[in-house]
Amino acid sequence: MSNLDRAPVPGVCGGRGFVVAEPVRELLSPRQVRLGESTEVRRLLPNLGRRMIGAWAFVDHYGPDDIADEPGMQVPPHPHMGLQTVSWLHEGEVLHRDSTGSLQTIRPKELGLMTSGRAISHSEESPRPHARFLHGAQLWVALPDAHRHTDPRFEHHPGLPTVTAPGLTATVILGGLDGTASPGTTYTPIVGADLALTHGADVRLPLEPDFEYGVLAMSGEVHVDGVPVLPGSLLYLGCGRAELPLRAESDAELMLLGGEPFEEELLMWWNFVGRTQKEIEQARDDWMTGSRFGEVKRYDGDPLPAPELPPAPLKPRGRTR
């Protein structure tokens, strides 16, 4: 998923100094962002109040959208570096192409995991023909310094492990939950899980006290630690929790995102995660000159041009604004 903002705001994320070291209930409201021709997303991270949750550095929620008579998702080839992208669907399909030669249709509850490493480019589009509804989330995971120059790769995991309890089925997307681990490659202690709750479910989900957590509401009516969280909003929970109370007022679906607070400071601009302004400037030049990021073949359209860098130097702002 690309950040298609033509005037992206730079910022530095990461660093443990801004982590909330105790349980909190911080409700984050989304920002509406147009993505491609017909898809509007709700951007939860980075947010006016918070930039990261563990290594999770970018979260978009979209749909459910009726795209029966629309082209659906149409994101032209664009670059990434220094991160992993996570594609997660509840309805619809997304066709992924990238510069390593990967071509894969991603369907509901299947993990599409792309590690950009030093450089990759990819496109995302609704297949033709495609399902009537499109609903899902796109997320980025920041790579630590030791692994951010790794070779690019794409993984597709159609079958993922689950954790169950009365009224709850948790699909482990990335990392581990309650002793169950996803097959997706990770580079930091992290968890991403899809939580499906039945109407009336009242459960306590085991957590790691050293992790910080957030919950993205996908659908339904649910109370998270007593806080009603509406679809398309995200509740930041801080650290220091051994369990999380969940109560479903209807059938509901959530995404649990968490991990050890990310120790390094990151410079994020457009679709790049780096450490210095020089790295960001070089990445933009490399994309615009057609070097380093490779080519997405057989995409019907032109690559996405990079926006102009802001005139002022990119400055650190920390994990929160």
Side-chain angles (χ1 to χ4, degrees), residues 46-67:
N47 193 284
L48 286 174
R50 184 150 305 278
R51 293 181 178 273
M52 296 184 74
I53 299 174
W56 299 98
F58 182 96
V59 177
D60 276 353
H61 172 248
Y62 54 90
D65 295 325
D66 187 340
I67 59 170

Side-chain angles (χ1 to χ4, degrees), residues 19 33 60 91 103 111 144 170 189 257-258:
V19 175
V33 177
D60 276 353
E91 294 182 272
L103 176 65
L111 172 60
L257 307 173

